[in-house]
Amino acid sequence: MALLDSFTIPDFHLPFESAKHPQSGRANSEATSWALHHGLITDAAEQFAGIGFGHLSGRVCHEAPYRHVVLLAEWMAWSFVLDDQHDHLIRAERLEAWRPLTDAITGYLATGKIDSAPQLRRNPLVVGFIDLCDRILAEMPPTVRERYRAHIPLMLRSLDQEAANRNAAQQPTIDDYVRMRRHSSQLLPMMDMVEAGLGVEVPPEVYNSSAFQDLMSSALDVISWGNDVFSLRKEFACGDNNNLVSLLAWWNEWSLPEAVLAVQERTRSRIEDFLTAAQGLPDVLDTLEVTDPSARAGVARCVKSYQDWMIGADLWQRYECTRYSDERWVAGLESTYTRPDLVPGI
């Protein structure tokens, strides 16, 4: 593994306009209070609020009604705790407790019931998920609801793969990692929520087309790879190999600063892929015989929301999120708000 030399987080030159909901700060406070109320955190609420999930929500959902900004901020707060608890169980060598937790979550998603041990029914991550899931699904049109239901299990399985990667003798290939990262980023369910919050709906034949999937994948890669650069110091410090920079350095025998520059170049190429795909989308709609003006406008607005995600995530990480600069986190330690007892042994 390469040594962590000093490096500068590059400018990814994202050619998109940025906007932000005026009540993003309030949403951040409300989401923090929600996490406290549900017992996801019990200490260091100020540090937890410093993640800035309300600010990210306000950037990617800035044209939606405020209730959607708050709901997305609460989901993001839950997602950060989920991710930190997964990391905690890996560190503590207690991954056997992870699968019953995710089984309870996916079981509720599929059936609306929790058929699990009593302690799991009362677990804050499960209770918090139920509260969010019920409200999220109630706001979604049927086709988006179906996608959201499909994306959650894929997200959870990708976290299983991350754990396997950290314990494997062989490093994952770059291509395998990129495919996994599109789900472990946890972006797809949140993109579904933004689409519903904006009141638009991409027709299934468009969403499932190779052209739209390529466009969406390019946006996912831009956001995920940027996050890999911002989170590199922490992940390197705790031996987490689920990072594009680390993997490029390992496979190519590069220094980490060289690999950071390579990620910057790969990201530039994916931005071009996104722009090219977006430019060609009207012809795709013509080929699919999507002629309804409202459907075409909905597709265009969804594409714009992906632009909001790319520029919004970058600005949030640079200026509004303490997670990637907090000394404990950067040193590879757990944040002070992490509850070691949140996921008990089953």
Side-chain angles (χ1 to χ4, degrees), residues 78-98:
W78 178 86
S79 296
F80 277 112
V81 174
L82 180 79
D83 190 63
D84 287 342
Q85 284 296 317
H86 182 247
D87 186 60
H88 171 74
L89 293 176
I90 293 173
R91 294 167 183 264
E93 299 182 351
R94 292 182 49 232
L95 271 174
E96 73 281 352
W98 177 252

Side-chain angles (χ1 to χ4, degrees), residues 131-174:
D131 173 54
L132 292 169
C133 183
D134 288 348
R135 290 187 285 142
I136 289 167
L137 293 177
E139 296 274 2
M140 284 181 166
T143 56
V144 182
R145 190 183 306 143
E146 182 180 350
R147 274 196 262 127
Y148 173 84
R149 289 184 187 275
H151 285 150
I152 297 298
L154 292 171
M155 176 192 84
L156 294 172
R157 285 201 293 271
S158 72
L159 296 180
D160 291 337
Q161 185 58 53
E162 281 195 339
N165 289 347
R166 288 172 70 165
N167 293 319
Q170 177 67 30
Q171 299 289 320
T173 68
I174 300 300

Side-chain angles (χ1 to χ4, degrees), residues 106-128:
T106 54
Y108 185 82
L109 187 68
T111 68
K113 297 184 294 184
I114 297 291
D115 296 322
S116 303
Q119 61 263 44
L120 273 178
R121 297 192 197 109
R122 298 188 298 269
N123 183 274
L125 276 167
V126 176
V127 175

Side-chain angles (χ1 to χ4, degrees), residues 28-51 53 76-78 80-82 84-85 123-125 323 335-342:
N28 200 68
S29 297
E30 289 194 31
T32 303
S33 296
W34 177 87
L36 278 166
H37 172 74
H38 282 277
L40 294 167
I41 60 170
T42 55
D43 298 306
E46 184 177 352
Q47 186 195 53
F48 185 67
I51 296 173
F53 23 76
M76 288 177 174
W78 178 86
F80 277 112
V81 174
L82 180 79
D84 287 342
Q85 284 296 317
N123 183 274
L125 276 167
R323 184 175 175 88
S335 297
T336 54
Y337 57 77
T338 300
R339 283 190 56 185
D341 62 338
L342 187 58

Side-chain angles (χ1 to χ4, degrees), residues 5 29 38 57-58 62 65 84 92 105 130 141 159-160 174 213 219 228 232 281 320 326 335 339 341 344 346:
D5 299 319
S29 297
H38 282 277
S57 177
H62 56 87
D84 287 342
I105 289 170
I130 291 171
L159 296 180
D160 291 337
I174 300 300
Q213 287 292 306
D228 281 359
L232 174 61
L281 207 51
E320 295 163 343
D326 179 86
S335 297
R339 283 190 56 185
D341 62 338
I346 304 301

